[in-house]
């Protein structure tokens, strides 16, 4: 039987979607929220996050701040970017699975975000 190649999105049990949001965390100076789901968050940062490690971050969307604690379940180097000084900076993408106490806050953020139906 041939080995199957599953990407992280194939294993995901819930959908994530883009959300106009900003993120702050003490572990990353330049944290970008890529997408949010009811059970997790995908982030971009120039800092490599350790798989299996727990992190705390704050997501702000539409004037609401949500504290999220979660565990990194995957992380990879996505690309490099050139800084204003001409140096190359790594950009990592990581998937963070939310801890159970963070799930209600993520669900609240998603319920307040506009959907295609609202457009």
């Amino acid at each position: 039987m041939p080995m199957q190649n599953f990407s992280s999105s194939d294993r995901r049990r819930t959908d994530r979607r883009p959300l106009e949001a900003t993120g702050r965390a003490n572990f990353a100076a330049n944290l970008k929220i890529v997408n949010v789901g009811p059970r997790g968050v995908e982030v971009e940062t120039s800092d490599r996050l350790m798989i299996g490690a727990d992190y705390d971050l704050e997501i702000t969307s539409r004037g609401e701040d949500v504290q999220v604690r979660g565990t990194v379940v995957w992380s990879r180097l996505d690309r490099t970017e050139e800084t204003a000084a001409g140096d190359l900076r790594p950009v990592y993408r990581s998937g963070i699975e939310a801890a159970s106490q963070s799930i209600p806050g993520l669900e609240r953020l998603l319920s307040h975000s506009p959907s295609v139906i609202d457009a």
Side-chain angles (χ1 to χ4, degrees), residues 9-58:
S9 62
D10 292 330
R11 293 189 308 260
R12 186 174 300 136
R13 290 179 294 230
T14 58
D15 289 334
R16 289 193 188 156
R17 60 182 169 178
L19 181 69
E20 271 190 47
T22 58
R24 284 187 299 281
N26 60 3
F27 60 84
N30 54 348
L31 181 73
K32 177 183 174 194
I33 305 300
V34 177
N35 56 50
V36 177
R39 304 286 182 263
V41 181
E42 183 176 345
V43 298
E44 265 187 10
T45 178
S46 59
D47 299 300
R48 188 172 140 240
L49 305 184
M50 301 303 296
I51 294 173
D54 292 333
Y55 293 95
D56 294 310
L57 58 133
E58 182 178 82

Side-chain angles (χ1 to χ4, degrees), residues 5-14 16 42 73-76 93-95:
N5 182 13
F6 293 103
S7 70
S8 60
S9 62
D10 292 330
R11 293 189 308 260
R12 186 174 300 136
R13 290 179 294 230
T14 58
R16 289 193 188 156
E42 183 176 345
V73 292
W74 61 268
S75 185
R76 70 173 191 272
R93 279 202 175 196
S94 302

Side-chain angles (χ1 to χ4, degrees), residues 17 113-119:
R17 60 182 169 178
S113 69
S115 66
V116 177
I117 298 168
D118 295 333

Side-chain angles (χ1 to χ4, degrees), residues 6 12 14 19 29 45-46 52-53 64-65 78 80 82 100 110:
F6 293 103
R12 186 174 300 136
T14 58
L19 181 69
T45 178
S46 59
E64 184 171 2
D65 295 333
D78 190 58
T80 57
E82 191 171 337
S100 58
L110 291 169

